[in-house]
């Protein structure tokens, strides 16, 4: 008993801010886990996940992943599928092969592909937040765990946790690589391979890898050359796999499927609305990491990731999920700050900063809760509405076997038909610049197999004038407008979708 009492007297009492932020973190984590579990079962696929799912299903069925859009993929009849593969072939290949391996007697289906993809995504998302805690020194695990629970609790980082997209897997590789480098005080061959693999899963994960590479070459710790060779070898091997899997087309597909423009207006809009949870906290952690002399092996990747992610907010097609990588690396940095500098500040810091940090942590916890918890409550209703719209469209758009429903919504088109024809959002940019077969696309829309067109906007009304509406103009407002009105007439508004039917 005396030993226990002595130990209790040695442990410092938690201050009020520490207690409050701990409570907020635990509540945020519980709310987020409940939300992600529900989203795994009930959420629709976002546009990226829908395309990835279509690609993975082709792999699972043994069909070619890469096709020439000018010729199209005709395996399932007309209209053919015309598309450029998103990102690299690695993620759809992994998901597709696993779906084929684990498929029931009837063979792989869109449902089984989605389950496999979502399992990978959720596990990788958890790794991003668990790995920094598991890899932290014992005395830093509590504060790292609190930060991890708050970071995971940001709605913008958890809303797509259960979506079948490669972002979480690529980010998990970066975080594992940096955690290992921090523990070993150098980038060893295993860390190097983990880091170099990330952008070959999802190219947006370049910032952290670039920061790590600069630090690695600048410090040249013992064994640096061997690690460099390992990274180069792994990168070359994965690039060769991509080259062979795509018949040499992966880079051209990558550039065309992700080549949307950048605008200053979008950058301001993306950062301005969310900067207090996606931006400012990361910069604060980077500042503290510099001030407290955290190893450049940790600070370098964090700075590179913040810089690259901030820049990418100007790109049409980017999203808040890009901040998953800076968040994971910020957790690694927090886990490596000197003991005693977690909430109360280091002795060398100004008194005002030492006093402000604990309450700033509480304020951040309150901000996370106020931003995220109402969204968690509202999202299930959106999921149900989405299912109702899909069911209503399926009932409304009566069609014979082999007939098709074209939609500007990738996930709806995939759900209604089991495949997609043309991913209209990204293809519109290419069609206007002559890099996509416009005549073939129009001819496909006019094919008799297409009986219905369901659009998220009304092409009869003038296009919007906001920056996003101007830059991301629907092809049904220009590229496909004449073909649509020549062959189709407005039929009904079904759950907010404007449905056109083929003219008699």
């Amino acid at each position: 008993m005396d030993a226990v009492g002595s130990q209790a007297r040695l442990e410092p009492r938690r201050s009020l801010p520490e207690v409050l932020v701990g409570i907020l973190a635990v509540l945020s984590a519980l709310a987020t886990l409940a939300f992600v579990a529900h989203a795994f079962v009930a959420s629709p696929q976002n546009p990226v996940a829908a395309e990835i799912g279509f690609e993975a299903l082709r792999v699972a069925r043994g069909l070619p992943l890469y096709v020439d859009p000018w010729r199209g993929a005709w395996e399932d009849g007309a209209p053919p599928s015309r598309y450029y593969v998103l990102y690299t072939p690695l993620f759809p290949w992994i998901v597709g092969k696993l779906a084929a391996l684990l498929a029931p007697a009837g063979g792989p289906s869109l449902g089984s592909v989605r389950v496999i993809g979502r399992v990978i995504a959720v596990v990788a998302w958890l790794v991003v937040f668990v790995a920094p805690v598991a890899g932290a020194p014992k005395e830093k695990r509590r504060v790292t765990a609190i930060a991890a629970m708050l970071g995971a609790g940001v709605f913008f980082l958890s809303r797509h946790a259960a979506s079948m997209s490669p972002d979480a897997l690529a980010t998990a590789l970066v975080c594992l690589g940096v955690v290992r480098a921090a523990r070993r005080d150098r980038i060893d061959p295993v860390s190097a391979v983990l880091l170099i693999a990330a952008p070959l899963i999802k190219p947006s994960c370049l910032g952290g890898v670039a920061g790590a590479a600069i630090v690695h070459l600048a410090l040249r710790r013992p064994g640096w050359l061997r690690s460099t060779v390992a990274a180069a070898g792994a990168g070359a091997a994965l690039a060769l796999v991509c080259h062979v899997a795509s018949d040499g087309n992966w880079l051209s597909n990558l550039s065309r499927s992700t080549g949307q423009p950048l605008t200053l207006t979008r950058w301001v809009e993306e950062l301005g609305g969310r900067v207090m949870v996606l931006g400012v906290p990361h910069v604060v952690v980077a500042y503290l990491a510099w001030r407290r002399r955290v190893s450049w092996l940790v600070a370098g990747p964090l700075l590179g990731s913040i810089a690259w992610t901030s820049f990418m907010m100007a790109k049409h097609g980017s999203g808040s999920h890009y901040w998953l990588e800076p968040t994971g690396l910020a957790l690694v940095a927090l886990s490596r700050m000197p003991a005693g500098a977690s909430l109360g500040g280091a002795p060398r810091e100004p008194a005002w900063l030492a006093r402000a940090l604990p309450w700033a942590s509480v304020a951040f916890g309150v901000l996370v809760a106020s931003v995220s918890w109402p969204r968690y409550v509202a999202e299930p209703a959106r999921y149900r509405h989405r299912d109702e719209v899909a069911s209503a469209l399926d009932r409304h758009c009566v069609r014979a076997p082999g007939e098709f429903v074209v939609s500007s919504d990738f996930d709806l088109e995939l759900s209604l038909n089991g495949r997609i024809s043309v991913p209209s959002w990204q293809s519109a940019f290419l069609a206007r610049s002559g890099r996509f077969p416009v005549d073939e696309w129009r001819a496909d829309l006019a094919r008799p197999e297409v009986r219905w067109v369901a659009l998220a906007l009304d092409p009869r009304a003038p296009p919007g004038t906001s920056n996003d509406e101007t830059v991301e103009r629907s092809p049904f407002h220009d590229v496909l407008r004449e073909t649509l009105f020549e062959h189709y007439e407005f039929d009904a508004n079904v759950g907010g979708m404007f449905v056109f039917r083929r003219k008699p």
Side-chain angles (χ1 to χ4, degrees), residues 115-186:
V115 170
I116 296 296
R118 290 189 174 203
V119 168
I120 294 173
V122 169
V123 171
W125 179 82
L126 288 171
V127 167
V128 171
F129 295 100
V130 172
V133 180
K138 185 177 180 179
E139 66 275 11
K140 297 296 299 181
R141 283 180 186 159
R142 181 179 181 276
V143 69
T144 308
I146 288 174
M149 288 187 285
L150 290 176
V154 176
F155 170 76
F156 304 112
L157 301 180
S158 61
R159 62 175 169 175
H160 295 319
S163 291
M164 183 173 41
S165 58
D167 299 80
L169 179 57
T171 300
L173 294 175
V174 173
C175 289
L176 289 171
V178 176
V179 167
R180 182 179 176 89
R183 289 175 64 90
R184 292 174 174 261
D185 199 31
R186 63 187 178 92

Side-chain angles (χ1 to χ4, degrees), residues 232-481:
L238 290 173
L240 181 61
V241 169
C242 294
H243 184 83
V244 172
S246 67
D247 292 327
N249 293 314
W250 70 289
L251 287 176
S252 62
N253 274 242
L254 176 62
S255 65
R256 293 182 181 183
S257 65
T258 61
Q260 289 81 41
L262 296 89
T263 62
L264 179 60
T265 302
R266 192 180 195 280
W267 184 83
V268 172
E269 290 174 348
E270 281 293 302
L271 280 180
R274 303 163 183 164
V275 72
M276 295 308 296
V277 291
L278 301 178
V280 169
H282 304 79
V283 173
V284 169
V285 172
Y287 167 75
L288 293 175
W290 167 77
R291 187 175 187 91
R292 295 171 180 177
R293 296 178 176 83
V294 172
S295 169
W296 281 108
L297 290 168
V298 172
L302 174 59
L303 289 170
S305 185
I306 292 173
W308 178 250
T309 303
S310 299
F311 169 73
M312 289 302 291
M313 290 300 98
K315 177 178 174 291
H316 287 262
S318 65
S320 58
H321 55 281
Y322 282 29
W323 284 97
L324 184 62
E325 184 193 76
T327 301
L329 294 177
L331 295 175
V332 180
L334 282 171
S335 75
R336 292 289 149 178
M337 288 185 186
S342 56
L343 292 175
R348 293 186 299 273
E349 291 172 348
W352 69 266
L353 186 58
R355 290 192 299 269
L357 283 176
W359 290 107
S361 302
V362 176
F364 179 68
V366 172
L367 182 62
V368 169
S370 62
V371 167
S372 303
W373 296 359
R375 302 288 187 100
Y376 291 160
V377 173
E379 282 295 279
R382 187 179 72 84
Y383 299 163
R384 290 192 297 271
H385 175 70
R386 174 76 172 200
D387 290 342
E388 291 167 1
V389 170
S391 298
L393 281 173
D394 193 30
R395 293 191 302 270
H396 183 87
C397 300
V398 179
R399 54 205 184 276
E403 294 184 335
F404 198 87
V405 181
V406 166
S407 179
S408 58
D409 186 306
F410 310 153
D411 189 44
L412 279 177
E413 186 171 286
L414 188 59
S415 299
L416 292 171
N417 305 292
R419 62 189 177 94
I420 61 174
S421 54
V422 176
S424 59
W425 184 86
Q426 71 192 50
S427 301
F429 292 98
L430 302 171
R432 296 183 186 109
S433 61
R435 293 176 293 167
F436 195 84
V438 177
D439 292 338
E440 287 80 358
W441 193 3
R442 290 168 177 159
D444 290 343
L445 185 62
R447 286 183 179 278
E449 292 85 356
V450 179
R451 304 301 299 173
W452 303 88
V453 179
L455 305 177
L457 52 81
D458 188 352
R460 300 167 299 170
T465 57
S466 70
N467 181 66
D468 278 4
E469 290 169 321
T470 300
V471 176
E472 303 175 15
R473 179 167 297 183
S474 168
F476 292 94
H477 267 136
D478 53 6
V479 177
L480 302 175
R481 179 182 174 85

